[in-house]
Amino acid sequence: MEQLKFGHKKLYIDGKLVEASDNKIFEVICPADEKPTATIAWASRQDTERALDSAQRGFNTWSALPLNERLDWIDKLRNKILENQDRLRESIMYEMGKTWEGTEEDLTSITNSLKYYSEEIKKRSDIPLEDKEGTHEHHFISQPLGVAVAFLAYNFPLLNLGFKLGPALASGSSIILKPSEFSPLSAYLIGELCEEINFPPGVITVLCGDVNEVGIPLCESTIPRLITMIGSTETAQKLIAQSAKTSIKRYSMECGGNAPFIVCHDADLELAINIGAALKTGNSGQICVAPNRFFVHESLLEDFTAGLVEKFSGTKVGFGRENQPDMGPLANKASVKKVEHIVNKAIEQGGKLRYGGKAIDGTGYYFEPTVITFDHNEVEVLQHEIFGPVALIVPFKTKEEVIVLANNTDAGLASYVFSKNNETLDFFANRLEFGEVQLNGVKYDIYLPHGGVKNSGIGVDCSTYALDDYLAKKRVTKALLRQ
């Protein structure tokens, strides 16, 4: 048997790397060549119960540590990650098929998160409350919440992990990380680094396994105080239903999106084309904030479409650090089937295929960058998140018309508007029903809140506001004694 590039990785539970109790393993497949690149220990229910118990003990220890000691440990972990950044980036490239350049965002996101929240937690202080009668003294204080369980999506393995790990550790909470089975390798490597530096046991846990052995027991346990997730709306609904059976828990969920990309008649056309193409081919379109529905003013429809086709036709698809592709494969075979289905449905519903439209022949889960245009907006397929390199383009006449079309979705994560008119930009900023409205550009960073409305989630990732999910609030009132 050919030696696996990353060998075998173990669970990280209670500060130790361990095999699954029943010795089950799981193959991590590289989507570029469809070959195993590693095996991981595949957790059992017994392992999950051990993880929960150790996470509770870890919380008891971690939350009692003085803040400066917690921050020293966080800094030690961050430095260890930086020392191993090439190895971590390479693991993401092989588990996800990402371009080498694309892996940098994952790496910088986790290290920036650890640094940012270490600084941000020091700014938190008790809030004094006024006593109207002058008889009492009040403070509103924050304390570590408890055990958090984080279910992570496959598309940005370390970015998603970092968004949860940073605020959890800084707040004094412990965290159980359950990565996706499609990209668990980099998370398991984080477990290895934790063991190497002897990170306090039980504070961080990394495990992956079947839903019945890991997912449901984590949710149904009364130990977790917070269930947090990055993934689909359907997954979030299941997690909430499962976890609510046994105890009241907090939820922080970043769910699927269906982002509108609105190009007004006075837009900077080149800017809109460049950003639209980059968002659709970046990470092979597997981005929750990637635009799905391109609403383009009828006067710019053909020029925008031609520009997008030109960009897509120049996209170099492939794999490998030396090859320097612009876009890699989709994460798994099921993703290819899903995107194929959406493209076929779009054409059945009146769409005109302008470029691409099919899986690329040969080894790997590659799909062509695809452009489909419609001459009307009564299209059912526009209601579905694509999660692939497919742009669906619909014309519009007025901003009043397109705001209705843009908001006609149960999702509400990201949205994009391009116009040179400030009144037009204000119109959309005030009326778009999305957690983020990006005007004439795109910016994401750890200090900027990221979250959705409607079926796109609860709470936020990133920014100081994410800390609130991992902190318990308490009012302390003291009567003033008469002299």
Side-chain angles (χ1 to χ4, degrees), residues 361-416:
D361 291 337
T363 304
Y365 306 130
Y366 294 95
F367 201 94
E368 295 175 328
T370 298
V371 178
I372 298 173
T373 58
F374 298 90
D375 58 10
H376 63 288
N377 54 57
E378 299 297 323
V379 184
E380 185 271 338
V381 76
L382 293 173
Q383 295 297 322
H384 303 290
E385 183 177 33
I386 301 170
F387 229 59
V390 177
L392 305 179
I393 304 177
V394 181
F396 74 91
K397 294 179 183 293
T398 67
K399 62 179 184 289
E400 290 78 14
E401 171 196 5
V402 77
I403 194 67
V404 174
L405 298 175
N407 287 334
N408 183 29
T409 173
D410 290 334
L413 193 55
S415 57
Y416 306 87

Side-chain angles (χ1 to χ4, degrees), residues 217-246:
L218 285 175
C219 287
E220 291 185 346
S221 170
T222 58
I223 289 175
R225 297 291 180 87
L226 169 69
I227 303 293
T228 185
M229 185 210 74
I230 297 176
S232 70
T233 299
E234 293 74 19
T235 300
Q237 291 172 318
K238 290 177 183 178
L239 295 178
I240 292 171
Q242 291 160 358
S243 59
K245 292 179 181 179
T246 54

Side-chain angles (χ1 to χ4, degrees), residues 91 224 437 439:
S91 73
V437 181
L439 307 176

